[in-house]
Amino acid sequence: MIDITVFQNKTAVYYTLGCKLNFSETSTIGKILREAGVRTARKGEKADICVVNTCSVTEMADKKCRQAIHRLVKQHPGAFVVVTGCYAQLKPGDVAKIDGVDVVLGAEQKGELLQYLGNLQKHEKGEAITTATKDIRSFSPSCSRGDRTRFFLKVQDGCDYFCSYCTIPFARGRSRNGTIASMVEQARQAAAEGGKEIVLTGVNIGDFGKTTGETFFDLVQALDQIEG
């Protein structure tokens, strides 16, 4: 049982690197924390929690992730620092050793971030919590507002192709997706919140349906019926 009273009136900052899928997931993490009582820190305000959602497509991406973490630790002294995303999944030990990092969460854990924050007390050294790539199974739904009327809906995650030049299957696990019914419900909610355009996002959205026996064409047809 999570004691959410710990999070009341706390503040958080979010930093995202990489693709639209990451931005969608960070938005969902922010929503989870808001519902627990955490508000987004104002510009110039010191935050109690820092969440970094990382990318790891190239060595330069890894470097930018490390720089972002160092910068946030410096800007928000004493904040509880959580690092997740592809870099965190691929190199959790390296990330956990960065000064100021408290918790490193892999692909399977990011959707349950709240349960890994504890009482927000700083750790003496970073703790890495990940799942082996072959065991990543969960699909964490995400729908983020890109601007005033555009939303990004995550419909698929992971990849089964294991191309020699690409780290994504190792960072995000095998291809998986939610149901069409769940996607339709999220899209209806986006429309109710003023969304006029929904961009479908994922690692390999053409693979939609592998885990539910549905097809991407069926998904598009279903979403096309939504008013708004």
Side-chain angles (χ1 to χ4, degrees):
M1 190 71 177
I2 300 171
D3 179 13
I4 64 170
T5 60
V6 172
F7 306 110
Q8 301 302 303
N9 300 314
K10 298 296 184 181
T11 58
V13 292
Y14 308 90
Y15 194 89
T16 308
L17 300 102
C19 62
K20 291 297 184 184
L21 183 54
N22 267 10
F23 279 87
S24 178
E25 291 172 340
T26 300
S27 179
T28 298
I29 289 171
K31 181 180 179 182
I32 290 170
L33 288 179
R34 283 196 303 276
E35 290 174 348
V38 179
R39 66 173 176 82
T40 301
R42 304 181 185 93
K43 186 175 182 179
E45 184 179 14
K46 296 292 187 294
D48 300 300
I49 305 168
C50 294
V51 178
V52 186
N53 195 357
T54 61
C55 176
S56 190
V57 175
T58 64
E59 178 59 35
M60 180 57 70
D62 291 357
K63 181 179 179 181
K64 287 181 178 179
C65 292
R66 292 191 294 270
Q67 290 174 336
I69 294 167
H70 286 304
R71 185 164 60 250
L72 285 174
V73 168
K74 185 176 181 180
Q75 291 173 346
H76 303 277
F80 191 91
V81 179
V82 184
V83 182
T84 188
C86 292
Y87 185 40
Q89 174 67 34
L90 289 171
K91 300 176 181 176
D94 292 351
V95 179
K97 291 176 183 176
I98 297 175
D99 285 344
V101 171
D102 295 290
V103 175
V104 181
L105 300 178
E108 189 84 346
Q109 289 75 29
K110 72 174 72 170
E112 303 294 333
L113 174 141
L114 203 63
Q115 73 182 59
Y116 297 104
L117 300 183
N119 59 3
L120 297 180
Q121 292 297 308
K122 294 288 291 178
H123 293 194
E124 288 188 13
K125 60 180 182 178
E127 178 184 8
I129 308 164
T130 62
T131 299
T133 301
K134 63 182 179 61
D135 296 323
I136 297 173
R137 293 287 183 268
S138 66
F139 178 82
S140 301
S142 300
C143 189
S144 66
R145 184 191 292 264
D147 53 26
R148 286 179 295 179
T149 60
R150 176 182 292 155
F151 282 70
F152 294 89
L153 175 63
K154 173 184 172 182
V155 301
Q156 184 271 344
D157 200 351
C159 183
D160 290 343
Y161 295 106
F162 291 90
C163 299
S164 60
Y165 56 84
C166 184
T167 62
I168 294 303
F170 302 99
R172 286 188 168 271
R174 293 302 185 101
S175 181
R176 58 202 185 278
N177 57 272
T179 64
I180 287 178
S182 68
M183 300 301 157
V184 167
E185 183 55 39
Q186 290 177 79
R188 283 203 179 106
Q189 182 61 37
E193 293 176 12
K196 300 296 183 185
E197 178 184 2
I198 292 178
V199 179
L200 305 185
T201 185
V203 173
N204 208 331
I205 63 175
D207 273 359
F208 178 89
K210 276 195 170 184
T211 52
T212 57
E214 299 167 310
T215 70
F216 183 64
F217 184 63
D218 292 337
L219 172 65
V220 173
Q221 285 187 307
L223 292 175
D224 193 44
Q225 301 304 310
I226 297 173
E227 294 297 324

